[in-house]
Amino acid sequence: VEAGGVRRSMAVPCSEEELQQMPLFAPMNEADRRDLAASIRIVIVGEGVEIVEQGATNESLFILRSGRCAEYVNRTRGIEKGDGMTVGEVAGLNAACKRRQDLVSRITLPPKNTETVLSLTACELLEVPVEALSNIIGSDLMLGRRLLREANNTIARSAAAGSAGAVNCGVKGRGIT
């Protein structure tokens, strides 16, 4: 167990079949899911662990595999998140889009997390590195659209709660909409 109650487990791989069961990844083609599964790490955190911090950047997007966590904006508790929900999607998707020249000028997202997410129970999370996310978005624009919708929802909740970092995100031209 690392500092802060976080333990990373590289020995337990994520399978293409597991991703196929998740609504976010189910529409992807099998080859893309297999490639994505190979890059995902499973992260196990204890209760009360900060998964992402408001105002920080991150190089991963997380999918809650099991457990419960809660969003906090300016220390005010927001929604609870459960199995299959995304964590850190705003900063993670922003970092992934910046790696793609075809998207960097068309996607407007805050560069930092608009909320803090704390685990309410022990949680297992799928950690998707932004490099892998960037590669997959290039071949599966529908995944990018689904993630952008998640990011928009998070930004709207954060803005309603008064997060200074929450701005409207958008898309210019064609691409992910």
Side-chain angles (χ1 to χ4, degrees):
V1 177
E2 297 176 12
V6 177
R7 182 181 67 174
R8 297 188 188 277
S9 175
M10 303 290 273
V12 183
C14 177
S15 69
E16 184 271 331
E17 292 81 16
E18 181 176 359
L19 293 183
Q20 187 175 8
Q21 300 302 314
M22 297 182 164
L24 182 64
F25 301 117
M28 293 174 68
N29 70 55
E30 185 177 332
D32 284 345
R33 268 196 313 270
R34 187 174 38 254
D35 290 347
L36 185 59
S39 66
I40 289 176
R41 293 180 284 188
I42 297 174
V43 177
I44 301 167
V45 299
E47 180 181 341
V49 174
E50 184 177 272
I51 300 167
V52 296
E53 178 186 5
Q54 184 176 349
T57 60
N58 45 291
E59 289 296 310
S60 297
L61 164 94
F62 299 92
I63 311 294
L64 195 57
R65 186 180 194 201
S66 65
R68 289 187 353 267
C69 55
E71 286 183 356
Y72 290 82
V73 177
N74 300 330
R75 299 183 187 171
T76 301
R77 185 170 169 172
I79 69 160
E80 275 192 30
K81 292 189 170 198
D83 295 1
M85 295 184 81
T86 56
V87 175
E89 66 275 5
V90 174
L93 185 57
N94 178 64
C97 288
K98 282 186 173 183
R99 288 176 161 72
R100 298 198 53 86
Q101 290 302 312
D102 56 332
L103 297 178
V104 71
S105 64
R106 296 195 313 240
I107 304 293
T108 305
L109 288 168
K112 298 180 179 179
N113 293 310
T114 57
E115 78 291 340
T116 293
V117 178
L118 297 176
S119 60
L120 298 174
T121 65
C123 295
E124 286 187 13
L125 301 121
L126 302 179
E127 181 179 18
V128 183
V130 295
E131 187 64 39
L133 186 59
S134 177
N135 292 337
I136 293 298
I137 288 172
S139 64
D140 186 346
L141 289 178
M142 293 304 293
L143 175 63
R145 288 181 180 138
R146 291 187 299 276
L147 287 169
L148 188 59
R149 189 169 37 249
E150 292 289 327
N152 274 320
N153 291 338
T154 298
I155 291 166
R157 286 190 304 271
S158 297
S163 174
V167 297
N168 290 329
C169 64
V171 179
K172 299 175 188 168
R174 298 175 54 136
I176 298 176
T177 56

